[in-house]
């Protein structure tokens, strides 16, 4: 069976993936599949740094604005929908460029992760969901830490569904294996993984600047509108970085300045976790953006790398 080449462009938040992804798509005759766990939600544009129609520049994008914020969206659902898009893009003779920084989404395509065969224990899950309702996510995240500290360090407490699933797996006598030595590459695809990076201080400055731009562009008003539309702070979508802090400001838990600083701090911490995650991709090619003054040269270097690997597919 001929494997479908999957060109994966990833890197930490605010590193500079969007502009480069458009240039690469045009040169490679590719369509983009977004691997971003916040950009799948409609109406959540500013806080997710969602690409605009103008920025798309006629490049076709998939997995953006897939569901409304009240719909829980799982890694399994991402995998299922993305695979349909991948097959369609490939059958039309175009290349597939997956771009985004959500590690679990990337893993669901890179590795054999058959969610349909995972043994969900409905009785345990129902009890855990009740426990969550009674005690809150902080309590549940600490419960996970007591069962599997590595999983607790890897899974952010605000990813409620993932925390519950992890505890369920542990209580069922299994172990979390997002990067298990037992993982095998997905036999349907040939992944070509490109990781963008910058000097840590430069990256942090870019993150802080991005948050300032989000606020200038109306992040607070976006959150107010979402709340007016009936979306609540308990929804997984509304617990994303930027959204939950603005809600806490509106609820009087934070001052405005506190909310802004926490958004910046948590965004920097998220970038650090992303970099740790990407370092586990042993076959990835890293590109240091600080070494490139001209994005066109960077684009050509990446394309040369891709073409060499495509020759041996």
């Amino acid at each position: 069976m001929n494997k479908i080449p999957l060109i994966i462009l990833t890197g930490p938040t605010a590193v500079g993936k969007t502009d480069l992804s458009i240039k690469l798509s045009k040169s490679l005759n590719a369509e983009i599949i977004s691997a971003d766990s916040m950009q799948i939600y409609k109406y959540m544009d500013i806080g997710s740094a969602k690409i605009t129609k103008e920025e798309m520049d006629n490049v076709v994008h998939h997995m953006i604005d897939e569901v409304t914020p009240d719909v829980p969206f799982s890694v399994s659902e991402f995998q299922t929908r993305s695979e349909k898009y991948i097959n369609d893009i490939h059958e039309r003779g175009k290349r597939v460029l997956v771009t985004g920084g959500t590690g679990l989404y990337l893993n669901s395509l890179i590795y054999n992760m058959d969610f349909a065969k995972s043994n969900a224990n409905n009785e345990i899950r129902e009890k855990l969901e009740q426990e969550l309702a009674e005690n809150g996510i902080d309590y549940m995240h600490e419960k996970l830490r007591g069962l599997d500290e590595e999983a607790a360090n890897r899974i952010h407490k605000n990813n409620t569904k993932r925390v519950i699933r992890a505890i369920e797996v542990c209580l069922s006598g299994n172990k979390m294996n997002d990067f298990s030595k037992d993982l095998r590459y997905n036999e349907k695809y040939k992944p070509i993984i490109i990781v963008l990076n910058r000097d840590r201080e430069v990256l942090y400055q870019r993150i802080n600047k991005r948050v300032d731009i989000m606020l200038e562009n109306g992040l607070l008003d976006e959150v107010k509108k979402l709340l007016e539309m009936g979306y609540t702070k308990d929804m997984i979508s509304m617990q994303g970085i930027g959204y939950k802090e603005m809600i806490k400001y509106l609820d009087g838990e934070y001052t405005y300045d506190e909310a802004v600083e926490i958004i910046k701090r948590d965004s920097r911490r998220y970038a650090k976790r992303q970099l740790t995650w990407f370092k586990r991709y042993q076959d990835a090619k890293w590109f240091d953006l600080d070494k490139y003054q001209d994005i066109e040269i960077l684009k050509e270097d990446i394309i040369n790398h891709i073409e060499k690997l495509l020759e041996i597919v």
Side-chain angles (χ1 to χ4, degrees):
M1 181 180 75
N2 292 327
K3 296 183 178 181
I4 299 175
L6 275 194
I7 302 164
I8 297 173
L9 180 71
T10 191
T13 185
V15 75
K17 296 184 290 292
T18 300
D19 188 22
L20 183 59
S21 70
I22 299 300
K23 294 182 181 298
L24 285 171
S25 295
K26 287 178 174 292
S27 295
L28 294 167
N29 187 29
E31 292 184 10
I32 289 176
I33 292 178
S34 170
D36 185 297
S37 61
M38 291 303 296
Q39 295 191 9
I40 58 164
Y41 293 112
K42 297 176 182 178
Y43 320 128
M44 305 185 81
D45 303 331
I46 298 171
S48 69
K50 189 179 295 175
I51 188 170
T52 65
K53 291 292 184 184
E54 293 74 23
E55 289 171 333
M56 287 182 185
D57 199 13
N58 296 317
V59 172
V60 178
H61 283 64
H62 306 278
M63 297 305 293
I64 290 178
D65 291 341
E66 287 280 310
V67 296
T68 52
D70 56 324
V71 177
F73 198 86
S74 67
V75 180
S76 174
E77 184 69 22
F78 171 83
Q79 181 193 59
T80 299
R81 294 193 187 202
S82 294
E83 287 186 343
K84 290 179 182 178
Y85 287 131
I86 290 167
N87 290 334
D88 176 60
I89 294 167
H90 182 67
E91 287 171 3
R92 288 188 281 107
K94 302 192 78 174
R95 286 175 173 164
V96 180
L97 176 60
V98 180
T99 183
T102 301
L104 285 169
Y105 281 12
L106 298 177
N107 276 20
S108 75
L109 300 178
I110 295 170
Y111 300 112
N112 275 329
M113 298 177 71
D114 191 344
F115 295 97
K117 293 181 180 178
S118 61
N119 297 318
N121 189 316
N122 291 330
E123 184 178 348
I124 291 177
R125 181 172 296 178
E126 287 175 9
K127 288 181 179 179
L128 292 173
E129 288 175 349
Q130 180 63 33
E131 202 172 338
L132 170 65
E134 293 173 357
N135 300 288
I137 189 57
D138 287 326
Y139 172 87
M140 298 305 290
H141 196 254
E142 285 306 307
K143 184 183 183 79
L144 173 59
R145 187 174 300 282
L147 294 166
D148 188 332
E149 185 167 2
E150 183 182 346
N153 290 336
R154 186 172 64 241
I155 302 169
H156 195 277
K157 70 176 184 179
N158 290 324
N159 192 341
T160 311
K161 193 166 187 176
R162 187 73 181 155
V163 171
I164 294 295
R165 174 60 181 149
I167 296 173
E168 177 193 334
V169 169
C170 292
L171 294 179
S172 299
N174 300 313
K175 290 289 290 182
M176 300 301 294
N177 64 343
D178 291 326
F179 275 99
S180 166
K181 293 179 182 178
D182 296 330
L183 281 179
R184 297 290 180 266
Y185 282 116
N186 189 332
E187 64 275 4
K188 293 181 287 189
Y189 306 130
K190 164 66 177 177
I192 300 173
I193 306 173
I194 296 146
V195 181
L196 305 180
N197 196 15
R198 292 182 184 272
D199 173 79
R200 187 67 59 90
E201 288 307 313
V202 173
L203 179 63
Y204 286 174
Q205 289 171 13
R206 288 175 62 90
I207 290 170
N208 292 341
K209 180 62 176 176
R210 171 181 276 190
V211 173
D212 289 336
I213 292 171
M214 286 178 177
L215 294 164
E216 291 169 9
N217 289 344
L219 174 59
L220 181 57
D221 287 337
E222 180 173 85
V223 173
K224 288 178 179 178
K225 184 177 179 181
L226 288 163
L227 293 171
E228 289 169 1
M229 293 170 72
Y231 302 116
T232 66
K233 63 182 179 181
D234 298 321
M235 293 174 180
I236 293 174
S237 60
M238 297 289 275
Q239 293 169 16
I241 297 173
Y243 293 96
K244 66 179 184 297
E245 293 83 4
M246 285 292 104
I247 290 173
K248 288 185 177 181
Y249 160 64
L250 292 171
D251 286 345
E253 292 185 47
Y254 295 153
T255 67
Y256 182 80
D257 289 342
E258 284 173 341
V260 171
E261 285 309 308
I262 292 170
I263 294 171
K264 291 179 178 179
R265 181 200 68 192
D266 286 357
S267 296
R268 295 192 298 267
R269 289 177 176 175
Y270 176 54
K272 187 176 180 180
R273 291 197 301 273
Q274 286 177 300
L275 288 166
T276 299
W277 183 283
F278 302 141
K279 286 175 183 176
R280 295 165 176 168
Y281 294 139
Q282 295 181 357
D283 296 329
K285 175 71 172 178
W286 289 64
F287 287 86
D288 183 351
L289 273 64
D290 295 325
K291 294 181 178 178
Y292 289 89
Q293 298 298 319
D294 187 340
I295 193 172
E296 291 297 325
I297 296 175
L298 169 64
K299 182 192 75 173
E300 291 305 319
D301 282 356
I302 292 175
I303 289 175
N304 288 337
H305 171 71
I306 292 169
E307 296 293 357
K308 285 179 183 176
L309 293 181
L310 286 175
E311 289 174 4
I312 60 175
V313 171

